[in-house]
């Protein structure tokens, strides 16, 4: 090849580095040059020579990225639309360069340099992505690409894996469950530790029946960006019918409650509208797909999200409810979906305050009208007998009616009850519904909530006590039997009256015949009075006499209704006002007798009421605390859990003073002798035993209660903290997601709250590790990774983890002393290696002082006795840090961005690393890695999207913070530019 041709290729590469150059024109010019050549071998060699300069640069420099894009466009330009006649000739002529480039890349994908592997995968990805849909690639090359990328997706460097995963996007077969690409994708989604790799796989994996569970699972990923992209993929590529009801509900529940606002926004803006479009914008059909009876709150949350993004709010709110002229849904047209939509719309508009007042008037009628509507519907809910409940059809029908009734009751909270007439009617209707015998138990609590919400505080207790009294002791008619003597007396009186009437009538006739009209008038009046007396006597019942009387009802249904009302009232009452005589009477006559009821549901609700009432009165709590303790150990699991919750609430609210008189409510449960016999010790011992319970719910409630007590400072106990850590790691609790989540959140918040909490964590470290090391092989604790537990304690006790920094000796310093003493106890123990590794991971203060000297002496003593090389290196590293020897170590290469003063730094960089590309296979990895580590030292501790482990130096000195002007000047000097090096190589 001539010198002109060399310069032509090199010049094209030089111009391609600049973003303002027209790459299409460069490609066309170079392509014309290539087509005219008869011998293309030299062109290939020169082209590769220029390309290699870019392939050894790992960072995403603009100049290098421009060169990569130019190479891709040039290679793809040889792909031309072809018909069947020209296909064979085109493959031989135009496809030769593309095949040549792909062959070169496939031969280079195993290079030692991670930069080369990254650029190889990037080029293959861009080449395959730029080819048209009907593009044809040689089968052999296609197979080699597939094999090479399957290897590279397991590369050590995340950026290489990302590009390899993207390159395989067009090589996957979603119809084949055995497709190697699909399997590799699913493996990466499940196991890859880098979030950007998981995002890359999510962006290109094809949805299928066997890949959908993996995509769905990424919505619970630990990284916000992965969760966000997974929701986007589901919105764009997955039909709502492909998801189960449980998956749909879970997606909305977790997405709309996600801690990241970006994830919530994706669900609102992309997922929900996409589902709605697939269902022809029928919002009721969307609710039907969610099964609102079992996930009402999630459905309401989804509706509120749709309302918040709607452009025409009026139409959207009124389309689903379909109200009549009374602003009501006809009773025969009520469904679970439209009544839930109605409720959600009213709550959303009411939350807007004065802004939504006008629209709310269009959605709801007057309170009195709605009250009658609600009353008429609840009266129609049938009360099923035990035999009828066995019929699933009838049971489902009643459950549907109960759900609709529940939503209508919740709508009461949206009514405007400021007007006295409507308010009174609503109160009257709510009272009547509470007294109805067919009102379902599931609706009692909500009816009480709405009733108490409308009543004034002073009226709450009196009104509810009257309702409970009327329900417990209703007025019923009493029938009294009349004996035979009374009947005979009545008959005699009637006979006497008849005789008197006959005599008077006879005398009346005689008087008329004698024309004694005055006497006749008197007799006539007497006859009328006798006839009235006889009529009244005949009207009296001959056998029974009816009276009204209050009779106390003790059936389980009545007691449950009364106790539910009582529990709701106690929850709504102001806790600072104490217990009034009305509530005291309810406790004595209703709650305490129900605690010993034979029905378990009644007992459970009575315990709930007793525990809630005890929060209002410390004297009441002292009186019945022993009863609650007995129930936690003797009754059924559900009732034991209710009693345990009540006990934990007491300890949280009143502290440990509730158990015995102490000068402080902060007690250490690790006490000795006298304290071991105290009620405090006995209760904590009982709670500790509950942590080993076979009843999963009891164990979880106990762990959650202890976590609350420790976080609030009611208990300080290293032993209990150790038990909670072991419970969190125990494989037995792997399926208990609530327990794992609770303890995981608690440990982080507890340790970062205060220095005292970190000291407690430090004190629990060695007991926890000893328990794990001494666990028998048959114990589940033997399966726990001890190094992971040690890392957890190190992270929890880091000084940087505290919300507010504290003065004094660092917790890691005292922890190091504890670990050293533990090592010296048995220098030959197998756990010594882990303890030494722990020492090397601690952030130990290097400031001189007594603590520093003591730790140095302990480390020196360990060095004299320990024989293991790993332990020696770890201890020496810590000892050197304490002695300040790290300052005398040779400094790592300075960051070229901050220290470069020579404009030719970048050229020297390339000249140093690229003399012959073949050397990269043998020595490139070490050199490129060394060069890259110098750049990492000045970056933030958090990894960027393109960070790799190998880029982080083992020991990088702190860089001097320069001014912004100095940094800008240095950056300008060190921008990657391949021109100088290519010119130097060309002239040599």
């Amino acid at each position: 090849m001539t010198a002109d041709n060399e310069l032509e290729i090199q010049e094209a590469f030089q111009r391609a580095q600049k973003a303002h150059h027209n790459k299409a024109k460069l490609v066309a010019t170079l392509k014309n040059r290539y087509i005219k050549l008869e011998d293309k071998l030299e062109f290939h060699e020169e082209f590769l020579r220029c390309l290699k300069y870019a392939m050894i640069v790992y960072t995403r420099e603009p100049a290098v990225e421009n060169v990569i894009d130019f190479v891709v466009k040039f290679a793809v330009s040889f792909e031309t639309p072809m018909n069947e006649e020209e296909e064979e000739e085109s493959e031989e002529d135009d496809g030769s360069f593309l095949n040549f480039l792909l062959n070169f890349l496939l031969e280079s994908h195993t290079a030692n340099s991670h930069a080369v592997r990254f650029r190889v995968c990037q080029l293959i990805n861009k080449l395959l992505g730029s080819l048209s849909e009907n593009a044809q690639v040689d089968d052999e090359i296609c197979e080699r690409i597939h094999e090479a990328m399957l290897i590279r997706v397991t590369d050590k460097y995340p950026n290489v894996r990302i590009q390899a995963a993207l390159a395989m996007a067009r090589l996957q077969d979603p119809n084949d469950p055995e497709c190697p690409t699909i399997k590799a994708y699913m493996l990466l989604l499940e196991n890859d530790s880098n979030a950007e790799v998981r995002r890359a796989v999510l962006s290109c994996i094809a949805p299928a029946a066997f890949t959908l569970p993996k995509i769905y699972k990424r919505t619970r990923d630990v990284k916000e960006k992965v969760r966000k992209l997974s929701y986007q993929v589901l919105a764009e590529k997955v039909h709502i019918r492909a998801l189960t009801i449980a998956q749909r509900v879970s997606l909305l529940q977790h997405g709309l409650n996600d801690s990241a606002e970006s994830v919530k926004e994706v669900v609102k803006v992309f997922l929900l509208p996409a589902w709605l479009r697939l269902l022809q914008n029928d919002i009721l059909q969307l609710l039907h797909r969610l099964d609102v009876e079992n996930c009402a709150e999630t459905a309401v949350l989804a509706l509120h999200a749709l309302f918040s993004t709607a452009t025409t709010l009026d139409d959207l709110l009124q389309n689903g409810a379909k109200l009549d002229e009374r602003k009501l849904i006809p009773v025969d047209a009520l469904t679970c979906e439209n009544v839930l939509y109605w409720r959600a719309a009213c709550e959303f508009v009411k939350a807007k305050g004065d802004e939504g007042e006008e629209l709310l008037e269009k959605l709801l009628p007057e309170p009195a009208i709605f009250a009658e509507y609600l009353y008429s519907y609840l009266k129609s809910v049938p009360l099923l007998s035990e035999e009828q409940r066995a019929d699933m059809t009838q049971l489902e029908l009643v459950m549907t009616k109960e759900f609709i009734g529940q939503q209508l009751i919740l709508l009461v909270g949206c009514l405007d009850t400021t007007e006295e007439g409507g308010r009174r009617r609503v109160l009257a209707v709510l009272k009547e519904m509470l007294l109805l015998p067919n009102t379902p138990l599931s609706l009692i609590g909500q009816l009480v909530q709405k009733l108490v919400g409308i009543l004034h505080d002073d009226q709450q207790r009196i009104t509810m006590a009257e309702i409970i009294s009327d329900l417990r002791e209703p007025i019923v008619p009493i029938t009294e039997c009349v004996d035979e003597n009374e009947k005979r007396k009545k008959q005699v009186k009637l006979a006497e009256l008849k005789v008197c009437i006959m005599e008077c009538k006879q005398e009346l006739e005689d008087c008329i015949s004698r024309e004694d009209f005055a006497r006749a008038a008197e007799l006539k009046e007497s006859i009328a009075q006798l006839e009235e007396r006889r009529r009244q006597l005949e009207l009296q019942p001959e056998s029974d006499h009816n009276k009204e009387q209050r009779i106390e009802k003790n059936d389980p249904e009545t007691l449950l209704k009364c106790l539910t009302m009582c529990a709701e009232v106690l929850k709504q009452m102001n806790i600072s006002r104490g217990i009034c005589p009305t509530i005291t009477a309810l406790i004595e006559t209703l709650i305490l007798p129900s605690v010993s009821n034979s029905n378990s549901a009644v007992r459970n609700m009575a315990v709930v009421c007793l525990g809630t009432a005890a929060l209002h009165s410390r004297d009441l709590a002292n009186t019945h605390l022993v009863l609650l303790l007995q129930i936690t150990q003797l009754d059924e699991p559900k009732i034991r859990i209710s009693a345990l919750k009540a006990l934990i609430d007491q300890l949280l609210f009143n502290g440990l003073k509730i158990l015995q008189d102490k000068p402080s409510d902060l007690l250490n449960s690790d006490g000795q002798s006298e304290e071991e016999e105290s009620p405090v010790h006995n209760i904590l011992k009982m709670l500790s035993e509950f942590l080993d319970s076979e009843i999963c719910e009891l164990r979880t409630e106990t762990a959650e209660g202890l976590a609350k007590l420790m976080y609030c400072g009611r208990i300080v106990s290293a032993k209990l903290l150790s038990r909670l850590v072991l419970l969190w790691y125990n494989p037995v609790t792997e399926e208990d997601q609530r327990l794992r989540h609770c303890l995981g959140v608690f440990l982080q918040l507890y340790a970062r709250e205060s220095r005292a909490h970190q000291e407690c964590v430090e004190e629990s470290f060695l007991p926890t590790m000893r328990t794990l090391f001494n666990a028998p092989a048959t114990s589940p604790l033997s399966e726990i990774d001890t190094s992971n537990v040690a890392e957890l304690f190190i992270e929890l006790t880091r000084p940087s983890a505290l919300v507010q920094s504290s003065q004094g000796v660092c917790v890691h310093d005292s922890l190091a002393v504890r670990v050293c003493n533990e090592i010296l106890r048995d220098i030959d123990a197998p756990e010594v290696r882990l303890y030494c590794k722990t020492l090397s991971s601690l952030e130990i203060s290097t400031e001189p002082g007594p603590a520093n000297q003591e730790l140095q002496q302990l480390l020196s003593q360990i060095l004299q006795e320990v024989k293991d090389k790993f332990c020696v290196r770890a201890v020496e590293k810590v000892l050197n840090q304490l002695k300040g020897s790290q300052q005398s170590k040779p400094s790592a290469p300075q960051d070229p961005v901050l220290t470069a003063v020579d404009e030719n730094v970048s050229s020297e960089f390339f000249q140093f690393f690229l003399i012959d590309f073949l050397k990269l296979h043998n020595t490139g990895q070490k050199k490129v890695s060394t060069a890259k580590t110098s750049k990492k030292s000045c970056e933030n501790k958090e990894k960027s999207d393109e960070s790799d482990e190998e880029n982080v130096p083992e020991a990088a000195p702190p860089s001097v913070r320069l001014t912004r002007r100095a940094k800008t000047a240095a950056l300008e000097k060190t921008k990657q530019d391949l021109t100088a090096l290519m010119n130097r190589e060309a002239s040599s």
Side-chain angles (χ1 to χ4, degrees), residues 460-471:
Q460 290 177 1
R461 291 170 283 192
I462 298 174
T463 303
M464 290 308 306
E466 291 174 353
I467 295 174
I468 292 173
S469 177
D470 291 342
L471 186 62

Side-chain angles (χ1 to χ4, degrees), residues 143-201:
E143 187 64 30
R144 288 176 61 196
I145 291 174
H146 202 179
E147 293 174 359
M149 294 302 101
L150 286 173
I151 296 173
R152 292 279 66 83
V153 291
T154 62
D155 197 277
K156 177 182 178 181
Y157 286 84
N159 279 342
V160 180
R161 299 199 298 274
I162 289 172
Q163 295 299 325
L166 295 174
M168 291 196 299
R170 297 184 69 173
L171 304 178
Q172 60 182 321
D173 183 6
N175 297 321
D176 181 13
E178 300 300 322
C179 174
T181 301
I182 296 290
K183 287 187 174 181
Y185 279 166
M186 292 193 293
L187 189 66
L188 290 172
L189 281 178
E190 194 76 17
N191 301 309
D192 200 292
S193 59
N194 188 277
E196 291 303 314
V197 176
R198 300 196 296 273
R199 288 185 72 236
V201 175

